[in-house]
Amino acid sequence: MGLGVLNTKHNGFVPGTAFVLDVGRTIDTHAPIIRLPRPSSNPNDPLNWPLWKRDLILCVLCFISVIGATTTSLLAANTLTLSLYLGKPFSEVALLTGFDVCGTGVAGCLFVASARKFGKRHLYLLGTVLLLASSVWGGASGHSYKSLLGARILQGVSLAPFEALINATVGDLFFLHERGKRMALSNMTIFGGAFSAPILVGKITHTLGWQWSFYFLAIFSGLALPLVFFLVPETAFTRSDDCNKGISSDHDPVHNLSDSQSTIPSKDSFVKSLSPFNGTKTDENFFKIFFRPFPLFFHPAVVWACLTQGVLVGWSVMMGVVMAAIFIGPPLFFNEVKTGYMYAGPFLGAIIAYVVAGLLADRSTKYMIRKNGGVFEPEFRIVLVIAQFLVGCTGLFGFGVTSNNAAKFGWLWPCFFFGLVIGGMIMGAVASSLYIVDAHRDIAVEAFTCMLIYKNLFSFALTWVANDWLIKDSALHMFILMGCIQVGISVLSIPM
């Protein structure tokens, strides 16, 4: 241990602690990196695949994840249009977003259990098909609020496999030292990609009608389906416990551990890799796996990750819900096009945060590893929360002040501070995801399930109260309170 990370009271194996630099040489900028987890001798082990293939798989998943993530904020610029078209108040239009995120959270429980039992490929295929079908349904729902609500729930369900599993897939495909920028990319597509949709949707609605925002999703989902089918094989793979350890029980480097596999299987053919299933991944009962994540809500690391990632996600969803109510009226009188353009700030914030988080996640960790004698500690990932604290909290406070007095500050400053909130959200998502994957790899899928449930149900609850809260209190009071809560959550990283 070192650099502020506390020592354990015993000398056994500590999950996540690992030698990642060759301790037989001087620890300098040229010390070789030890690959962790250590790949097995099986050619079907994803860690044995060439890097270009692993990156291609991740790029395809990020592409469909961006498409799926746009469903969350798909109606943000259309609030007034849908309210008039369907004859419903703003509060009921807001629930079209609320039930979408609720569908993601509830379906995630079932999908994650299925991923544990049967792997992830069939769920990525199912999610893509459901996204295609629900988008066609939404566009064809006509004046029926209930039909559109059903389509939105199914859209939320279609996003669940990607939101729940893509970060775990990064852990399947890449070594510890390769995950930083790729985890930043996967989180940017899930959380930041949603904020690209309103920029286009406002203009699409104004020009072609709101239905075409759904039809374009269906078109891109149809294009993504063959990519997922042909280019995304199963990534779940079971290795021996020793392969996942960074330090053996006697504190020798990981390369002194031996692979227990005596016979090397043949490599699967391309045709075989196209199967949605390639066998079960565990002999455990499905229902036992299904209920396993829920006790983790009492696990300190999981609670910290849920709060660090989920609360700021909830604030951002709420900002999207109240955006129209704040800017459609006086003094700015925005239409759906201008409301959509307000998401340019969040979109740019997500892109910049992805670049910064990718650089900080890798470089800061490598710096601390060398300062720590070549030993990696998962707590090194928490450093990114400092950036989340500075950027995200500033964004919440600033948005509250400027949006409450649009006559004085106009649209630019609220747009800028909204971008800071999304940038902070990306930073927190990357920090919490990397920490869970690195420190608790054996329960990472279940931990991501808890994070999925928390952030989506929390966001769902906020959509119920968003407009009433805005009417009762001002935007200033709302977002100042949110900022104070976020400061408290950031402080929780210190005892971690």
Side-chain angles (χ1 to χ4, degrees), residues 226-250:
L227 296 179
V228 175
F229 182 78
F230 288 108
L231 299 179
V232 182
E234 182 57 65
T235 62
F237 186 84
T238 304
R239 303 179 189 88
S240 65
D241 291 339
D242 284 346
C243 289
N244 294 314
K245 289 184 179 181
I247 301 177
S248 61
S249 58
D250 59 354

Side-chain angles (χ1 to χ4, degrees), residues 78-107:
N78 290 342
T79 302
L80 178 61
T81 302
L82 287 170
S83 178
L84 297 174
Y85 185 86
L86 298 172
K88 298 291 183 180
F90 277 14
S91 58
E92 292 193 39
V93 175
L95 290 180
L96 293 173
T97 297
F99 277 102
D100 175 87
V101 297
C102 182
T104 303
V106 174

Side-chain angles (χ1 to χ4, degrees), residues 179-189 192-193 346-364 384 387 391 419 422-428 430 434:
R179 292 174 186 163
K181 54 182 173 290
R182 292 171 175 88
M183 191 71 79
L185 175 62
S186 65
N187 278 282
M188 190 273 289
T189 58
F347 178 66
L348 290 175
I351 298 295
I352 295 171
Y354 154 64
V355 175
V356 174
L359 292 174
L360 286 178
D362 284 333
R363 295 187 179 182
S364 64
L384 277 177
V391 176
I422 303 309
M425 183 184 72
I426 298 293
M427 297 288 188
V430 174
L434 281 171

Side-chain angles (χ1 to χ4, degrees), residues 4-256:
V5 181
L6 299 179
N7 288 309
T8 60
K9 295 180 180 179
H10 58 83
N11 293 322
F13 168 69
V14 180
T17 299
F19 284 109
V20 295
L21 294 177
D22 193 340
V23 295
R25 296 182 53 175
T26 302
I27 305 301
D28 58 24
T29 57
H30 303 290
I33 295 175
I34 298 171
R35 300 187 302 171
L36 294 174
R38 190 169 58 88
S40 68
S41 55
N42 190 326
N44 300 307
D45 185 343
L47 293 178
N48 288 323
W49 297 343
L51 183 60
W52 66 264
K53 180 178 179 178
R54 292 181 278 145
D55 279 333
L56 178 62
I57 293 169
L58 180 61
C59 286
V60 172
L61 291 177
C62 286
F63 174 63
I64 184 61
S65 295
V66 167
I67 299 171
T70 58
T71 63
T72 303
S73 58
L74 188 66
L75 306 182
N78 290 342
T79 302
L80 178 61
T81 302
L82 287 170
S83 178
L84 297 174
Y85 185 86
L86 298 172
K88 298 291 183 180
F90 277 14
S91 58
E92 292 193 39
V93 175
L95 290 180
L96 293 173
T97 297
F99 277 102
D100 175 87
V101 297
C102 182
T104 303
V106 174
C109 304
L110 180 63
F111 289 165
V112 168
S114 183
R116 269 294 196 189
K117 184 72 174 179
F118 304 108
K120 302 179 180 70
R121 173 172 162 78
H122 70 286
L123 295 170
Y124 288 139
L125 290 170
L126 177 62
T128 307
V129 171
L130 291 179
L131 181 58
L132 172 60
S134 60
S135 298
V136 173
W137 179 7
S141 60
H143 286 271
S144 173
Y145 176 83
K146 290 183 178 179
S147 180
L148 182 57
L149 181 62
R152 291 291 289 162
I153 293 172
L154 189 60
Q155 279 190 325
V157 172
S158 71
L159 175 60
F162 306 101
E163 190 168 321
L165 300 174
I166 189 170
N167 286 330
T169 300
V170 172
D172 293 340
L173 289 172
F174 299 101
F175 298 105
L176 186 150
H177 68 280
E178 296 174 332
R179 292 174 186 163
K181 54 182 173 290
R182 292 171 175 88
M183 191 71 79
L185 175 62
S186 65
N187 278 282
M188 190 273 289
T189 58
I190 288 292
F191 300 113
F195 297 96
S196 62
I199 302 173
L200 302 175
V201 166
K203 185 65 175 177
I204 291 171
T205 298
H206 186 74
T207 306
L208 301 174
W210 66 266
Q211 294 88 345
W212 272 96
S213 59
F214 286 89
Y215 291 144
F216 276 116
L217 270 184
I219 291 170
F220 283 105
S221 301
L223 294 174
L225 182 57
L227 296 179
V228 175
F229 182 78
F230 288 108
L231 299 179
V232 182
E234 182 57 65
T235 62
F237 186 84
T238 304
R239 303 179 189 88
S240 65
D241 291 339
D242 284 346
C243 289
N244 294 314
K245 289 184 179 181
I247 301 177
S248 61
S249 58
D250 59 354
H251 298 274
D252 287 333
V254 70
H255 54 252
N256 287 339

Side-chain angles (χ1 to χ4, degrees), residues 366-387:
K366 289 178 181 178
Y367 173 80
M368 286 185 284
I369 287 171
R370 299 184 194 284
K371 290 293 184 180
N372 199 34
V375 177
F376 168 79
E377 300 287 356
E379 288 77 10
F380 295 166
R381 304 296 196 179
I382 301 178
V383 172
L384 277 177
V385 176
I386 298 174

